[in-house]
Amino acid sequence: MDKNQAENFQQLVLRLKADKSYDTIEKLAGGAPTSRSLQKLATKGFTRMPDPETFQGLSRALNVSQRDLVLAAARTLGIYIEAENPSDLTLIGAGRLPNESQELLRSTSRELQRWMDRSQAEDARKGYEGSADAYVHELFPTERMAADKGESNIDPEQLPES
């Protein structure tokens, strides 16, 4: 969702609150936040992140994930965090691996990203614009032999050993 379209904390809470009273939400939340503090949060906003108990209680009372509440609160404070980033790869179950294995995965990812960045920088330095034709020259450099390029009437068996 575009950061300009995503709901902030007040919008999310008021939408999920619907026709429930603030007192009802306080009871469903288990007392935190209080009806008075929730009303203030939902109508006047805030300049500091609410406490964890507020997120936990509202999550129960409004049937919404704490993650969604925290992201909405961040948007209220002008911090835009992409909820789903298409360039991220989630490895299901990786969070249950031992810490050493998790760090190995992070380290491998960083190295692969560095390699990709270097490769893209090298391509830019060579003047490649990302077109398919640019990569054909990489696969079949002009200095290679005719048989290497797949030209007809040349038997690959007769090529010198590399």
Side-chain angles (χ1 to χ4, degrees):
M1 180 178 277
D2 185 301
K3 71 180 184 180
N4 296 322
Q5 297 172 345
E7 293 176 309
N8 66 26
F9 187 81
Q10 292 84 358
Q11 293 165 332
L12 178 64
V13 168
L14 291 173
R15 179 176 59 81
L16 296 173
K17 173 188 171 295
D19 60 351
K20 295 182 204 90
S21 72
Y22 290 108
D23 289 331
T24 301
I25 293 174
E26 178 183 359
K27 289 175 188 164
L28 291 171
T34 64
S35 62
R36 184 175 176 188
S37 64
L38 177 58
Q39 184 174 7
K40 183 179 175 186
L41 287 173
T43 58
K44 295 185 180 181
F46 49 86
T47 57
R48 292 186 354 193
M49 192 67 83
D51 59 39
E53 293 78 23
T54 297
F55 291 122
Q56 293 165 358
L58 286 177
S59 176
R60 278 190 305 271
L62 300 175
N63 196 25
V64 63
S65 73
Q66 289 184 49
R67 182 179 191 277
D68 288 345
L69 289 166
V70 170
L71 289 172
R75 285 189 292 273
T76 297
L77 296 173
I79 303 167
Y80 293 93
I81 303 168
E82 293 181 42
E84 298 287 329
N85 188 339
S87 69
D88 289 345
L89 173 64
T90 302
L91 299 175
I92 306 300
R96 290 179 289 172
L97 293 171
N99 289 337
E100 297 82 14
S101 298
Q102 290 181 31
E103 185 51 39
L104 178 61
L105 288 172
R106 287 186 201 98
S107 175
T108 301
S109 174
R110 283 190 299 270
E111 289 303 315
L112 288 170
Q113 290 175 43
R114 282 189 199 115
W115 175 81
M116 184 182 67
D117 291 344
R118 282 194 304 266
S119 177
Q120 289 173 345
E122 181 69 17
D123 288 350
R125 189 182 62 77
K126 289 180 179 178
Y128 294 162
E129 297 178 12
S131 68
D133 293 339
Y135 293 107
V136 168
H137 295 297
E138 182 71 23
L139 293 173
F140 299 103
T142 54
E143 65 272 3
R144 291 183 61 191
M145 298 175 56
D148 288 343
K149 295 185 206 174
E151 293 184 15
S152 59
N153 299 328
I154 297 180
D155 184 5
E157 295 293 323
Q158 296 175 347
L159 294 174
E161 293 292 322
S162 307

